Amino acid sequence: MLRFPPLAIPVAAACALAVVPSASASAAPARRTVELASFDGVEIVTHFFRAPGLRKGERRPVVLLGTGWAGRGETDPKAEDGQLGPLLRAGYNVVTWNPRGFGSGGAAHVDDPRVEGRDMRRIINWVARQKEVRLDRKGDPRLGMAGGSYGGAIQLVTAGLDRRVDAIVPSIAFNDLAETLYPDEVFRAGWGAMLCSGGFLNGNKLAPQVQKGCLTGLASGRLPDDTYRWFREHGPDHLVRRISVPTLVLQGTVDTLFPLRQGIEVHRAVKANRAPVKMIWFCGGHGSCDTDPGPAKKLTKATVAWFDRYLKGDRRVRTGPGFEYIDQHGVYRSAPSYPMKALGELRAQASGRLEFSRRDADIYLKEKKKKSGNGIPEYMVAARPQAKAVDVALPAVQAPAQTVGTPRVTLRYRGTANKPRTALYAQLVDRGTGLVVGNQATPLPVVLDGRERTVTRDLEAVAWSLTPASRLELQIVPITGLFDWQRSAGRVELTADVALPLVEPGPRS
């Protein structure tokens, strides 16, 4: 199984919740496992966990808890890194399952609405017949969904397809699968390699289109048009636009697979439907939290509070402000909603020249033994400052402030290369800490045919505290371990303009 850092599935931290169960409720919960035949006959291994302390004839809401890519449904309520135990202790029935291709029959289609989406409707049909589950009406259970990554995206698919879903907490999920795997036609090779390898381990099975995407993406740095369209049809962005149930979005500031912009788009869509929505940015996700991660129990408490308010219907429960975010010091701050009101921008411009070739990859090959906390090569999950770069120093702020939101870069350039269509990368560096802010690098597609050209792009969103002593700079670099390595050779002269949004620090939360 592909494993993520401890915070990759953020609600996983086992903790004692505010509600202390009675002696009878603390007994091991009943569990039953069935194999449910889906629309095409594929059997989905499904586990039902009865809420602790459930009295005879009593019915309670149920939470469907999804698993990450290449994983199996949770079955151990005592697991320290699981979400099953906290949800059961909060008084919910919980259902977990092995996704198709990952411990169930069939092959993984990557949360395809036409496949895994229909599997979920079958599971919900079955859940509605369980005697412990509270119903809103016949065939319609009082139902929430939780889980991270693959288990986060299936919530967006299911809530967009099935009106019986009442509340969701998607964590480190993707809103647009094609865009995040292949932004500006640049393959996200670092995570792509790990997702592909994990998909083939432990008897896992992948659909032919996924296998094709893995082989061609890693070999050539490109996805074939038919494969790209196949992933594009997954969305779930077109389904997210239908979601009108209470939604708590949890997204990681250092997630270099599904960055903050994926959660921002989900938040924006649900907000437009006037449904209750909240977003929390935390230090974790698919990546490495190299700064203070903040309080360990915050996300678990937020998840349980969300379900208590919108599944149990307890109006006394307060779910907090509409937007909470963490900075590099582990401090959570809040605002009524996202985006926050801007104070202005921090702007800078600089010019320079870069020469590049395939040999630029040597800096990573020399570091191949340097691993992150989960055994993954560090350069594949976190961007790092580079010596070969055009540096754009940003001015110091006059008083403490924060940059929370989406920086923007405009590149005016002229160059030549043996393969004119390639990419450079932009990353924001904090020279005081030696870290790339959020560990993020953003592709800047360029055409180096000797003509003067311009490209403007939003960088990945950030949350970072600044003081007059802070020293930030933008780097334009020819390569990053997060994406496909440079396959061209040439030179470019460029001028880069960068603008960072500034906000007044919100109150601590």
Side-chain angles (χ1 to χ4, degrees):
M1 181 191 305
L2 182 64
R3 298 188 66 83
F4 297 126
L7 283 178
I9 308 299
V11 192
C15 68
L17 300 172
V19 177
V20 180
S22 64
S24 61
S26 64
R31 165 190 163 190
R32 52 185 180 269
T33 298
V34 300
E35 294 184 356
L36 301 177
S38 194
F39 68 98
D40 56 356
V42 168
E43 293 187 333
I44 307 299
V45 177
T46 306
H47 312 287
F48 184 95
F49 293 84
R50 186 174 183 267
L54 200 65
R55 304 181 188 88
K56 184 177 180 180
E58 184 184 3
R59 292 174 176 260
R60 293 186 190 172
V62 62
V63 176
L64 305 191
L65 174 59
T67 186
W69 173 257
R72 274 60 170 165
E74 286 191 44
T75 57
D76 182 5
K78 297 181 180 179
E80 292 186 1
D81 60 348
Q83 302 178 69
L84 177 58
L87 290 170
L88 287 170
R89 291 194 293 273
Y92 293 96
N93 298 302
V94 181
V95 170
T96 68
W97 69 97
N98 297 347
R100 68 166 57 214
F102 301 145
S104 287
H109 284 66
V110 198
D111 284 343
D112 190 333
R114 300 160 296 191
V115 183
E116 283 88 354
R118 295 168 77 180
D119 293 343
M120 295 310 302
R121 300 189 79 163
R122 176 68 181 92
I123 290 175
I124 294 174
N125 290 344
W126 176 78
V127 166
R129 298 196 297 270
Q130 305 312 300
K131 61 183 180 181
E132 300 92 342
V133 174
R134 177 179 169 184
L135 300 178
D136 290 327
R137 61 187 61 83
K138 184 178 180 180
D140 183 359
R142 177 61 60 88
L143 181 144
M145 297 186 72
S149 191
Y150 200 56
I154 195 60
Q155 298 177 54
L156 304 176
V157 170
T158 309
L161 288 172
D162 199 315
R163 299 276 184 185
R164 294 175 294 177
V165 177
D166 297 298
I168 59 175
V169 184
S171 173
I172 54 174
F174 55 83
N175 174 67
D176 185 330
L177 183 59
E179 190 276 337
T180 191
L181 291 177
Y182 200 48
D184 275 311
E185 298 186 356
V186 182
F187 186 58
R188 199 179 291 270
W191 278 108
M194 290 176 280
L195 293 173
C196 291
S197 62
F200 290 112
L201 296 177
N202 301 325
N204 294 332
K205 296 181 180 180
L206 304 180
Q209 296 92 333
V210 186
Q211 297 182 41
K212 182 178 180 180
C214 287
L215 293 174
T216 58
L218 295 174
S220 68
R222 299 188 64 82
L223 292 182
D225 290 345
D226 61 332
T227 303
Y228 179 82
R229 287 194 300 271
W230 187 81
F231 280 116
R232 185 70 189 87
E233 290 167 358
H234 285 50
D237 56 338
H238 60 280
L239 292 170
V240 171
R241 291 193 289 269
R242 303 182 187 177
I243 295 175
S244 57
V245 299
T247 301
L248 171 59
V249 178
L250 307 177
Q251 211 75 21
T253 58
V254 294
D255 194 316
T256 52
L257 173 59
F258 304 143
L260 290 173
R261 74 170 69 193
Q262 298 294 310
I264 290 170
E265 292 301 323
V266 172
H267 178 272
R268 180 181 292 125
V270 178
K271 184 179 179 181
N273 290 336
R274 300 182 181 277
V277 63
K278 175 182 173 78
M279 183 164 60
I280 301 177
W281 292 358
F282 69 101
C283 189
H286 306 85
S288 177
C289 180
D290 299 321
T291 57
D292 189 333
K297 299 179 182 180
K298 183 176 182 64
L299 300 178
T300 302
K301 291 178 178 178
T303 298
V304 171
W306 197 257
F307 287 142
D308 286 351
R309 177 67 179 84
Y310 294 110
L311 286 186
K312 291 181 180 177
D314 189 344
R315 296 183 178 276
R316 298 169 298 176
V317 174
R318 296 289 179 262
T319 58
F323 176 50
E324 297 183 73
Y325 61 95
I326 193 170
D327 68 6
Q328 71 269 34
H329 306 299
V331 176
Y332 277 98
R333 296 185 181 274
S334 66
S337 187
Y338 182 87
M340 298 174 67
K341 184 178 180 181
L343 289 177
E345 292 180 326
L346 204 60
R347 303 184 66 96
Q349 181 190 97
S351 301
R353 178 177 178 176
L354 282 176
E355 294 186 0
F356 56 89
S357 71
R358 295 171 67 97
R359 293 194 61 181
D360 290 328
D362 289 349
I363 60 173
Y364 296 116
L365 296 176
K366 293 175 182 178
E367 296 182 2
K368 62 183 179 181
K369 294 183 180 180
K370 189 176 181 181
K371 306 291 186 181
S372 61
N374 56 8
I376 297 171
E378 188 177 85
Y379 66 80
M380 298 175 75
V381 301
R384 291 291 181 256
Q386 292 193 29
K388 179 184 281 191
V390 173
D391 297 324
V392 185
L394 285 143
V397 295
Q398 300 302 307
Q402 292 183 313
T403 178
V404 179
T406 304
R408 193 166 181 82
V409 169
T410 295
L411 202 67
R412 296 187 298 278
Y413 67 92
R414 183 198 301 266
T416 57
N418 62 344
K419 295 181 180 180
R421 292 187 178 274
T422 185
L424 304 176
Y425 301 89
Q427 57 187 30
L428 192 63
V429 176
D430 184 327
R431 284 301 182 189
T433 62
L435 296 174
V436 171
V437 176
N439 298 339
Q440 305 286 349
T442 304
L444 303 175
V446 294
V447 181
L448 302 178
D449 58 1
R451 297 172 57 188
E452 185 172 326
R453 296 177 180 270
T454 300
V455 60
T456 298
R457 287 294 184 272
D458 288 340
L459 304 188
E460 298 299 348
V462 297
W464 205 256
S465 290
L466 304 174
T467 71
S470 299
R471 292 184 296 126
L472 291 187
E473 67 181 27
L474 178 78
Q475 285 197 321
I476 306 297
V477 298
I479 191 171
T480 173
L482 300 181
F483 290 91
D484 186 48
W485 287 356
Q486 184 61 256
R487 294 175 184 265
S488 184
R491 59 181 58 87
V492 60
E493 294 183 356
L494 60 89
T495 298
D497 290 87
V498 58
L500 270 65
L502 292 180
V503 302
E504 184 177 350
R508 289 178 178 245
S509 62

